[in-house]
Amino acid sequence: MENTHFNEQLMERTMKMDVDVRNLLKSEKFIPIDRPFVNQLIRSSSSVAANYRSATRGRSDAEFYSKICIVLEETDETLFWIDYLIKLDVLNEKEAVKIRNEVEQLVRLFSSIKKKMKERIGRNG
């Protein structure tokens, strides 16, 4: 969209979040029963970065809004899996707090973007 610099920064931020999730997990040893939950965290965090990148290439406000809805959903899911894995003692809360805080901030940011885009589409639609 028109905020190219903002979009580039947010693409970098979502990619960094995804890399940070991977780095948090790569040195851990997981028991087989926890592996599916860890894989879900990996999938949702990478989906945030990939779908935000896709959103910035949207051809219309409606397409951007649709992708932002997916980005928000995947970001919130990432937060869920982090919290869940902490609760199961699969992730160490002290080690995960920085990435958890970043994901929580991204949920708030994408919620705000979604709300503004919905208002914008409503005015123009």
Side-chain angles (χ1 to χ4, degrees), residues 29-39:
K29 301 235 189 285
F30 303 105
I31 60 173
I33 197 168
D34 293 330
R35 179 56 61 189
F37 308 126
V38 171
N39 288 341

Side-chain angles (χ1 to χ4, degrees), residues 57-104:
R57 285 151 172 69
R59 294 168 294 219
S60 67
D61 284 348
E63 190 174 341
F64 180 81
Y65 176 77
S66 176
K67 287 290 186 178
I68 285 298
C69 290
I70 295 167
V71 170
L72 176 56
E73 183 179 320
E74 294 294 330
T75 310
D76 190 54
E77 183 178 338
T78 299
L79 185 59
F80 167 80
W81 290 117
I82 291 169
D83 287 344
Y84 186 66
L85 291 170
I86 288 170
K87 206 167 256 326
L88 293 177
D89 291 323
V90 173
L91 290 179
N92 178 296
E93 188 169 8
K94 288 183 183 192
E95 292 174 10
V97 70
K98 185 176 177 185
I99 187 68
R100 190 204 178 281
N101 289 342
E102 172 64 2
V103 174
E104 192 171 40

Side-chain angles (χ1 to χ4, degrees), residues 1-2 60-62 116-125:
M1 310 306 296
E2 34 313 302
S60 67
D61 284 348
K116 287 177 184 170
M117 286 307 299
K118 187 173 184 175
E119 291 169 359
R120 181 173 168 169
I121 290 170
R123 285 193 304 268
N124 297 334

Side-chain angles (χ1 to χ4, degrees), residues 68 72 106-116:
I68 285 298
L72 176 56
L106 288 170
V107 167
R108 282 189 243 122
L109 179 61
F110 290 127
S111 293
S112 176
I113 292 170
K114 178 184 171 186
K115 181 180 177 189
K116 287 177 184 170

Side-chain angles (χ1 to χ4, degrees), residues 7-42:
N7 287 337
E8 287 172 2
Q9 286 181 320
L10 201 45
M11 274 192 284
E12 287 176 26
R13 190 171 170 185
T14 57
M15 178 73 76
K16 182 182 181 321
M17 180 270 302
D18 182 37
V19 169
D20 289 348
V21 166
R22 182 200 174 271
N23 289 339
L24 178 67
L25 299 171
K26 76 178 182 182
S27 63
E28 297 292 325
K29 301 235 189 285
F30 303 105
I31 60 173
I33 197 168
D34 293 330
R35 179 56 61 189
F37 308 126
V38 171
N39 288 341
Q40 284 296 124
L41 173 56
I42 292 167

